[in-house]
Amino acid sequence: MNFSLAEAAAILGAAAAPEVPLMGAAVDSRAVVPGNLFVAIRGARVDGHDFARDAVARGAKAVLAEKPPTGLPAGFPVLSVPSVPPALLTLAGGLKKHRDFRLAAIGGSAGKTTTKEFAAAILSWRFRAVEKTPGNQNSAIGFPLSVLNLPNIPEWMVGEMGMSQIGEISRLSKTFEPDVAAITLIALEHLEFLESLDGIAKANAEILEGMKPGGIFVVNVDDPRIAAIAATHRGHKLGFGRSSAADLTVEEVRATSRGSRFRLVTPAGDATIDLGVPGEHMVSNFLAAAAVALACGASPAECQAAAPRLGPAPHRGELKTHPSGALLYDDAYNASPPSMRAALDALKILPGRRRIAVLGDMLELGSEDLWWHRETGRYVVGRADRLLCVGPRARAIGEGAVEAGFPSAEVRSLETPEQAANLLDSMLSEGDVVLFKASRGIGLERAVARLAGQQPPRAPGAAR
């Protein structure tokens, strides 16, 4: 997005600044492109102010900072604010209001990114300019950066809003004022901070706090906690799900190893959908996305046109191939107990003579995390022929599987993704299908990359 330093200063109530033209923003000096505003954030391990000189060398035209950075050219424009993170949020929100585009915001415990990707693809069949938050940039830092870095001013932006604590989605919603807001589902996540499903529901309900008058709440009517939120919401609503209370539903679902075919039933008419992404949970994600798209003004015909071209987001159900011919089902991006079950159900229907589940730790599940890992292990029975457990908590997945009757000789516990990749590389052959699923912090995508002959992604580190 193009803006000026003077416009930014006015939005933030900062001291008057010159009309320096800016294009987008970066919080990592290594990611700066010419024309950026460099946003200097104090992190837990590094301070962005210490890298302002590097950012300027890469082409940053101004710096947003809490203190004067050292090593900058004389007179280099610095916009000073008391605290950078809230200033970043305020700046992006102000620019969004000035540019006056519409926003569909998506929250929920799982499926946010896929629903966002599907909804944006459908809307692109109706509207000339549609943008979306890239990847999972859904935080109080990532979301405003996504807005500042929009390549074009869209008619609609589709963005996911994430959280790990109460208040985080509230700030995003009040800042960016969605025209449409959806909650995909309420499930176990961040129990370390939110303690219960009711706490998770309360945090996700904050997505409605900033909704514009006349906005539409897209409701998963099959989820009792979301239905309860909807019952107290006085604005417009559009329900999706499998129950009779839904405005949008799916019927005649026929699953295959490569996707699903079903009938989408909506108030605006029906459409036959050919979805080329395997898994029952992907049908649910598409249904949620279709509801978001219709709330934004799309039609069932546009849902139908978009569906065959849809694919999974990176590490969220991608199918890759090992040199042996074995199929790699890469769902390694993140994990919770419900998403583990959905992935194991997808593994069960994928074609193969031997099914291998590579499951890693699920993080932030609070005091009962080992119990949930054992329950996940029990669910493996009948869905996989061999189980590799990666990480200290994942050992409990193996214990639960064996307790439920899984052959102990087919269970291995490993410490790292690299160990899993080494073991698999020596044993895979054509006809095998392998599921990879764990919380983001485990890094199972590194095992997938190695087995698929790709460059392993860099381990997460501090931005600078």
Side-chain angles (χ1 to χ4, degrees):
M1 182 187 296
N2 295 322
F3 58 102
S4 73
L5 190 64
E7 183 179 16
I11 289 171
L12 295 174
E19 287 286 346
V20 177
L22 299 169
M23 181 183 66
V27 298
D28 187 330
S29 63
R30 298 165 297 187
V32 166
V33 297
N36 271 177
L37 171 68
F38 179 63
V39 181
I41 293 178
R42 298 176 189 265
R45 288 176 286 181
V46 296
D47 185 344
H49 294 78
D50 297 336
F51 298 91
R53 181 172 60 180
D54 296 341
V56 172
R58 290 177 180 267
K61 296 302 182 185
V63 176
L64 180 66
E66 297 168 10
K67 62 182 182 181
T70 60
L72 300 188
F76 191 85
V78 176
L79 195 58
S80 296
V81 293
S83 180
V84 168
L88 172 64
L89 198 62
T90 299
L91 173 59
L95 289 172
K96 189 256 183 186
K97 290 178 183 177
H98 290 179
R99 305 302 186 264
D100 194 29
F101 56 86
R102 291 174 287 180
L103 171 67
I106 299 172
S109 299
K112 293 187 295 295
T113 300
T114 300
T115 299
K116 172 205 68 182
E117 295 288 333
F118 286 2
I122 295 168
L123 289 174
S124 295
W125 285 80
R126 166 57 61 98
F127 299 99
R128 177 184 53 82
V130 176
E131 298 291 346
K132 60 190 178 183
T133 49
N136 72 324
Q137 291 195 18
N138 59 24
S139 69
I141 302 298
F143 198 101
L145 279 177
S146 298
V147 172
L148 292 176
N149 288 319
L150 287 172
N152 303 290
I153 304 304
E155 295 176 75
W156 278 97
M157 178 180 180
V158 187
E160 60 178 284
M161 292 185 174
M163 58 79 206
S164 60
Q165 300 183 34
I166 293 290
E168 293 176 344
I169 290 181
S170 176
R171 288 189 289 275
L172 289 172
S173 179
K174 289 176 179 177
T175 299
F176 294 103
E177 299 180 338
D179 299 89
V180 171
I183 304 175
T184 57
L185 58 87
I186 301 299
L188 295 169
E189 60 167 342
H190 306 303
L191 284 177
E192 183 177 349
F193 309 107
L194 297 171
E195 298 183 349
S196 68
L197 285 170
D198 289 336
I200 295 165
K202 180 180 179 182
N204 278 284
E206 293 173 354
I207 202 167
L208 301 174
E209 293 182 5
M211 182 182 283
K212 284 185 177 178
I216 300 176
F217 179 24
V218 176
V219 181
N220 181 350
V221 298
D222 295 341
D223 189 304
R225 288 177 174 83
I226 300 176
I229 295 166
T232 64
H233 180 67
R234 297 183 179 180
H236 301 295
K237 290 170 277 194
L238 182 67
F240 69 92
R242 306 297 181 92
S243 75
S244 59
D247 300 302
L248 278 80
T249 192
V250 294
E251 297 179 351
E252 303 169 10
V253 179
R254 296 191 293 278
T256 71
S257 61
R258 293 286 176 173
S260 300
R261 183 181 177 88
F262 52 90
R263 187 157 61 95
L264 177 67
V265 179
T266 86
D270 299 355
T272 299
I273 304 297
D274 287 301
L275 182 64
V277 189
E280 176 68 18
H281 60 302
M282 289 297 185
V283 176
S284 298
N285 289 335
F286 182 89
L287 178 58
V292 170
L294 263 65
C296 296
S299 69
E302 285 150 351
C303 295
Q304 183 181 52
R309 297 168 174 80
L310 296 178
H315 311 300
R316 293 172 174 87
E318 289 185 290
L319 294 176
K320 302 174 181 178
T321 306
H322 183 260
S324 67
L327 188 65
L328 309 177
Y329 182 51
D330 179 4
D331 203 27
Y333 186 81
N334 215 339
S336 63
S339 67
M340 280 280 201
R341 288 182 173 229
L344 286 163
D345 286 340
L347 174 65
K348 184 177 180 179
I349 66 170
L350 288 171
R353 61 173 180 80
R354 180 173 60 168
R355 293 175 177 82
I356 303 169
V358 184
L359 308 181
D361 290 5
M362 296 178 284
L363 305 179
E364 297 183 358
L365 290 180
S367 60
E368 297 183 342
D369 63 343
L370 292 182
W371 186 87
W372 284 111
H373 283 81
R374 287 192 181 90
E375 285 298 296
T376 298
R378 292 178 178 275
Y379 201 74
V380 172
V381 177
R383 294 168 177 83
D385 304 303
R386 189 162 196 188
L387 174 62
L388 305 186
C389 306
V390 182
R393 293 175 178 85
R395 290 180 179 274
I397 297 177
E399 293 168 1
V402 172
E403 290 168 1
F406 199 88
S408 60
E410 300 298 333
V411 179
R412 287 286 303 272
S413 291
L414 305 164
E415 294 183 2
T416 68
E418 288 73 19
Q419 289 177 352
N422 288 339
L423 178 60
L424 288 164
D425 203 26
S426 65
M427 63 178 280
L428 290 179
S429 59
E430 188 170 3
D432 290 339
V433 56
V434 190
L435 163 68
F436 298 84
K437 186 75 171 169
S439 281
R440 177 66 168 162
I442 305 307
L444 273 188
E445 68 276 7
R446 302 199 304 272
V448 180
R450 183 167 178 174
L451 291 166
Q454 302 169 334
Q455 182 66 32
R458 185 178 63 193
R464 62 179 190 266

